[in-house]
Amino acid sequence: MIEILTPVQVDRARRTGALVADILATLRGRSMVGTNLLELDRWTAEMIRDAGAESCYVDYAPSFGRGPFGHYVCTAVNDAVLHGRPRDQRLADGDLLTLDLAVRLDGVAADSAISFVVGESRPAGSVEMIETTQRALAAGIAAAGPGAKIGDLSHAIGSVLREAGYPINMQFGGHGIGTTMHQDPHVSNDGRPGRGYKLRPGLLLALEPWIMADTDELVTDEDGWTLRSATGCLTAHSEHTIAITEDGAEILTLPSR
């Protein structure tokens, strides 16, 4: 289903997006050497509850996961890149952590992800990987607007990733979002310009370039959810929810402060 939101719903999405961004910013500030991933999950649940919102993850049970996710935020460390299920693990100096969060507020969802390095150490290639996903995300957003096609966004994202020399996995990518978290259209992280669905004002998209340092192959962890690089290499992931407007693309998942 491709959902076109009303102006009232888009305004609600702005509030949802700001909430997602604020929670992620708070979690980043609390992600220190020694912080437990389960603490991050507990803090997320508290902030969602205090805002009067609801988690898009806790009861999420798609075909590619093993039962309901059962947690409130995805926490992917180092070689983990997507759907990272929080577990009893304390962060170490130099860990590359990705936090991915989706919530629904007033009936509209928003989804965002950030990657950063914990502590003082900076493992080789970690900062470059994060910055590459951020540049790819910015390119995808810049390509979005009324009349553009999904392939234009995919091509813009993929061009940045390919130029930086990273393999591109096409199994998971961006997606439509609205009154539910995952909707059509799918937005691959590479593609051909001029192809696919034509963007219209009121469409919300979650764009999410993610990369693995030296492979495009994923393996599933024993928890049935966490996806890791097949070679154990570092990974990175950046995501924003955007709204297509008459003037272009508006980023919804920016902090309110």
Side-chain angles (χ1 to χ4, degrees):
M1 177 184 73
I2 296 177
E3 185 177 33
I4 302 300
L5 272 61
T6 67
V8 170
Q9 289 175 310
V10 172
D11 192 52
R12 291 175 181 169
R14 293 185 179 99
R15 294 193 293 273
T16 310
L19 173 63
V20 169
D22 287 345
I23 292 175
L24 287 174
T26 299
L27 293 175
R28 179 170 185 165
R30 295 179 181 180
S31 297
M32 304 175 185
V33 174
T35 301
N36 195 300
L37 299 182
L38 293 176
E39 290 181 301
L40 294 175
D41 189 56
R42 176 172 57 81
W43 291 330
T44 302
E46 292 171 354
M47 287 185 278
I48 292 172
R49 180 198 64 213
D50 291 347
E54 57 183 309
S55 169
C56 293
Y57 289 166
V58 67
D59 294 323
Y60 186 50
S63 59
F64 56 77
R66 185 188 300 161
F69 186 68
H71 293 272
Y72 295 84
V73 63
C74 294
T75 56
V77 182
N78 295 329
D79 63 321
V81 63
L82 297 174
H83 314 152
R85 200 166 186 264
R87 60 179 183 173
D88 186 11
Q89 175 182 345
R90 294 193 177 276
L91 294 169
D93 187 48
D95 277 346
L96 198 165
L97 174 63
T98 296
L99 299 174
D100 190 349
L101 176 66
V103 306
R104 188 164 43 245
L105 179 67
D106 295 329
V108 182
D111 191 359
S112 184
I114 57 173
S115 289
F116 55 94
V117 182
V118 176
E120 300 297 326
S121 298
R122 295 295 180 267
S126 59
V127 174
E128 292 81 2
M129 289 188 69
I130 294 168
E131 291 177 346
T132 297
T133 63
Q134 292 170 342
R135 291 199 314 273
L137 178 56
I141 294 170
K149 293 192 174 181
I150 291 295
D152 300 331
L153 281 62
S154 295
H155 178 73
I157 291 169
S159 294
V160 173
L161 302 181
R162 281 186 276 104
E163 184 177 350
Y166 293 104
I168 302 174
N169 177 290
M170 301 288 279
Q171 292 172 264
F172 295 93
H175 52 90
I177 187 170
T179 55
T180 57
M181 174 176 61
H182 281 156
Q183 301 181 357
D184 291 330
H186 176 73
V187 187
S188 296
N189 284 327
D190 199 9
R192 297 176 64 183
R195 299 294 184 92
Y197 180 79
K198 182 181 290 187
L199 308 188
R200 298 167 48 192
L203 176 69
L204 267 58
L205 296 171
L207 305 183
E208 49 180 317
W210 58 275
I211 52 176
M212 300 179 283
D214 62 17
T215 184
D216 63 359
E217 185 178 351
L218 292 166
V219 294
T220 304
D221 210 347
E222 293 179 356
D223 63 15
W225 276 97
T226 304
L227 296 178
R228 299 182 182 274
S229 62
T231 61
C233 67
L234 286 179
T235 70
H237 178 194
S238 295
E239 179 181 14
H240 273 310
T241 294
I242 64 171
I244 306 304
T245 72
E246 297 288 352
D247 301 318
E250 177 185 350
I251 302 174
L252 302 180
T253 43
L254 294 175
S256 62
R257 53 187 180 277

